[in-house]
Amino acid sequence: MDLSSPEIEAAWAACRSGEASFLALGYAPGSKKKLAVIGSGTGGFGALRPLLAADAVVYAACEVQVGGARKLAFVCSVGEATGGMAKGRASMHKQDIENSLDGTVGGITVSDEAELEPAAVAAGSYRAVEEGHPPGT
C-alpha cells in the first residue's frame, strides 16, 4: 500500500495533533494500491459520514472520546454497492492501512447504511478502542 504522499502525511499529522478530527482516504484514480486524501477536517463523524460512499472503499480515522480522553479509531467503510474485487482488496488492505496510521487504537469495518448511523459507529468505535487500548494506557 502506498500512503507516501505529502498530502496524506500532512492530513494525518493534523489529525494526530488534534487540529483535525478525521481523515478519509480512498484509492487514487486508476490505482489499486496508491491512496489519496478524499477529506480531512473538523466535525468528527458527522463531517466524515458524507464521504463514506455506497459504491466505494474508504479508509478513515475518526476522533472518539473514551473515558474523557481523545482517541483515533480506524474505520474501514466498504459501501454496499462496491464491486466484489474492490471488497476483496479492502479486506486484504485494511490491516496494513490501519497499521500505517500510527496512533489509531482500534478499528471497525462498516458496510451498510445501518452500520453508518452515528450511534452504531460510536458504539463500535468505543468497543474497538476499549479492546485495542485498555484503560489506563
Side-chain angles (χ1 to χ4, degrees):
M1 290 308 308
D2 184 357
L3 286 86
S4 63
S5 80
E7 293 82 14
I8 292 175
E9 291 175 20
W12 182 235
C15 211
R16 293 225 27 214
S17 73
E19 293 174 46
S21 61
F22 75 91
L23 166 64
L25 303 171
Y27 291 100
S31 178
K32 295 177 182 176
K33 292 195 176 190
K34 184 168 182 60
L35 296 180
V37 174
I38 58 173
S40 178
T42 60
F45 183 75
L48 170 63
R49 172 61 184 93
L51 302 175
L52 306 179
D55 63 348
V57 174
V58 178
Y59 304 100
C62 187
E63 179 180 280
V64 294
Q65 294 294 319
V66 177
R70 177 185 186 269
K71 306 290 182 188
L72 292 169
F74 178 76
V75 178
C76 176
S77 173
V78 181
E80 290 180 84
T82 301
M85 294 297 286
K87 286 180 180 180
R89 231 182 344 271
S91 178
M92 291 182 346
H93 293 164
K94 71 180 177 182
Q95 191 62 55
D96 287 340
I97 296 166
E98 181 178 357
N99 292 344
S100 295
L101 295 176
D102 185 40
T104 58
V105 289
I108 62 170
T109 300
V110 294
S111 58
D112 64 41
E113 281 298 315
E115 293 174 330
L116 290 173
E117 289 300 315
V121 171
S125 296
Y126 183 82
R127 278 192 306 277
V129 169
E130 283 294 302
E131 291 167 6
H133 198 73
T137 61

